[in-house]
Amino acid sequence: STAMAAPMTDAHRRFLQVLMSHGIMEGSEARKLHRRCCEIHKVYYAHDKLDDFISTVNSHLQPLFMQIRKGMSESDGRAHYALVNLAETEITKMASDYTENELELFRKTMDLIILSENGFASSTDILNLADQLKTKKMKKKEAEQVLKVFVEDKWLSEKNGEYTLHTRCIIEMEQYILSNYQDVARKCNICHSLAIQSQVCESCGTGMHLPCVRKYFRAQTEPRCPQCNDFWSCDIP
């Protein structure tokens, strides 16, 4: 309860404001910001106390149904912090920023990404959906623009014409995805958070994030599935 929570200082408030303006922040940036906020406002600073600092902020955000959550970038395994709205599902939150057919394009893109083998959808496949939208069909040019905006707003990220869910999107939408894609959404066997870009054991279907695969097999003489102990046939990244 908030009664028990450590008081918010101006350092906490500044930290929250900066994070709000970014939406998401890489771990090393968040650590720098933590230090800077404490120095500016002459508040006690300890370099290993970022998570405690954040949980003080979170205890005050609780009545507002907001939370700073920690997640991992699926491409390089780095920690990130994002401000998440707990009061509504993220798709409804997006509804205030996008039109109905833009949202439908996002949902269909999300389907493609989550149902894919590797957690990516090609721009060609996404653009082919644009003229099949039920709400209102979209021209390809228009759809390309909308995809650009989804990337700018950190819902999608794009690399060489391939799209995947942005780290911010995964942190925000984890619960939504796990409950709406129950048959296909999987959690990483190592870090137990949602895995979109993952490798999957051919024998038992266990999935792991690429950075988790890299870390896990570094210590093993031969790669075996942590679940069924069969040989891991995917190329270790």
Side-chain angles (χ1 to χ4, degrees), residues 23-26 67-74 78-86 90 93 154-155 165-177 193-194 196:
I24 185 166
M25 227 176 208
E26 211 241 308
Q67 191 183 54
I68 298 173
R69 272 200 196 148
K70 190 178 185 175
M72 178 187 87
S73 153
E74 292 198 323
R78 287 185 181 155
H80 283 69
Y81 293 88
L83 187 63
V84 177
N85 183 339
L86 307 172
E90 291 60 29
K93 196 173 77 193
K154 301 184 180 134
W155 293 111
L165 301 182
H166 193 285
T167 306
R168 173 194 177 184
C169 178
I170 293 173
I171 296 175
E172 294 232 2
M173 295 212 186
E174 181 163 14
Q175 283 326 110
Y176 175 88
I177 292 169
S193 57
L194 174 68
I196 302 289

Side-chain angles (χ1 to χ4, degrees), residues 109-158:
T109 303
M110 201 153 145
D111 288 344
L112 284 178
I113 290 169
I114 293 169
L115 299 173
S116 72
E117 285 288 291
N118 60 357
F120 283 92
S122 73
S123 57
T124 319
D125 289 345
I126 298 170
L127 294 174
N128 285 338
L129 298 171
D131 54 9
Q132 301 165 23
L133 299 180
K134 290 189 178 70
T135 41
K136 180 170 165 264
K137 292 180 176 37
M138 238 186 235
K139 293 195 171 68
K140 285 218 161 91
K141 267 271 165 276
E142 201 185 333
E144 277 171 0
Q145 254 336 97
V146 174
L147 283 177
K148 218 185 222 152
V149 173
F150 286 144
V151 170
E152 278 163 20
D153 293 348
K154 301 184 180 134
W155 293 111
L156 296 176
S157 32
E158 182 267 340

Side-chain angles (χ1 to χ4, degrees), residues 8 12 15-16 19 25 27 30-31 33-34 49-62 66-70 80-83:
M8 277 265 268
H12 293 95
F15 184 91
L16 178 60
L19 182 61
M25 227 176 208
R31 287 191 293 278
L33 176 64
H34 172 213
K49 291 279 185 266
L50 174 60
D51 287 344
D52 291 353
F53 185 84
I54 285 174
S55 66
T56 298
V57 178
N58 278 341
S59 61
H60 291 270
L61 287 176
Q62 209 180 346
M66 306 279 287
Q67 191 183 54
I68 298 173
R69 272 200 196 148
K70 190 178 185 175
H80 283 69
Y81 293 88
L83 187 63

Side-chain angles (χ1 to χ4, degrees), residues 20-57:
M20 275 173 90
S21 67
H22 286 265
I24 185 166
M25 227 176 208
E26 211 241 308
S28 61
E29 288 300 307
R31 287 191 293 278
K32 270 186 221 145
L33 176 64
H34 172 213
R35 182 179 183 165
R36 203 162 63 236
C37 292
C38 290
E39 283 170 356
I40 292 170
H41 296 288
K42 304 193 170 28
V43 169
Y44 168 75
Y45 165 76
H47 71 90
D48 55 352
K49 291 279 185 266
L50 174 60
D51 287 344
D52 291 353
F53 185 84
I54 285 174
S55 66
T56 298
V57 178

